[in-house]
Amino acid sequence: MLNDHGIREALTKLESEQRDVLVALHYCRLTVAEAAVQLGIPADSVNHRALAALRALRRLLDQRSAAQSLP
């Protein structure tokens, strides 16, 4: 079962650049433009890192779910 602890744990396993973008966009609720300024990177990089981070997070959470479903 997915919970906040599982998500937080998975976030710690992301590369720091990816984690920083997700935190800025989803936890701090910044726009892409605001996150770009805060992180000192172009907006295109924010979008690219966010997409890569979400894909990596999905893989991590799927792996966790699969491991938990084993007998």
Side-chain angles (χ1 to χ4, degrees):
M1 180 172 208
L2 188 59
N3 57 35
D4 281 344
H5 177 73
I7 294 171
R8 288 176 197 261
E9 184 180 321
L11 281 171
T12 66
K13 295 180 181 179
L14 294 177
E15 295 178 15
S16 63
E17 295 86 5
Q18 293 177 348
R19 183 175 50 252
D20 292 346
V21 166
L22 285 186
V23 168
L25 295 175
H26 297 283
Y27 285 94
C28 298
R29 298 197 179 271
L30 299 179
T31 65
V32 169
E34 292 167 336
V37 170
Q38 179 179 337
L39 298 169
I41 59 175
D44 286 346
S45 294
V46 171
N47 286 323
H48 178 68
R49 289 180 189 183
L51 181 58
L54 290 172
R55 286 178 177 159
L57 191 59
R58 163 81 47 125
R59 275 193 306 275
L60 290 167
L61 294 172
D62 285 348
Q63 289 170 359
R64 178 187 166 100
S65 178
Q68 288 178 345
S69 66
L70 293 175

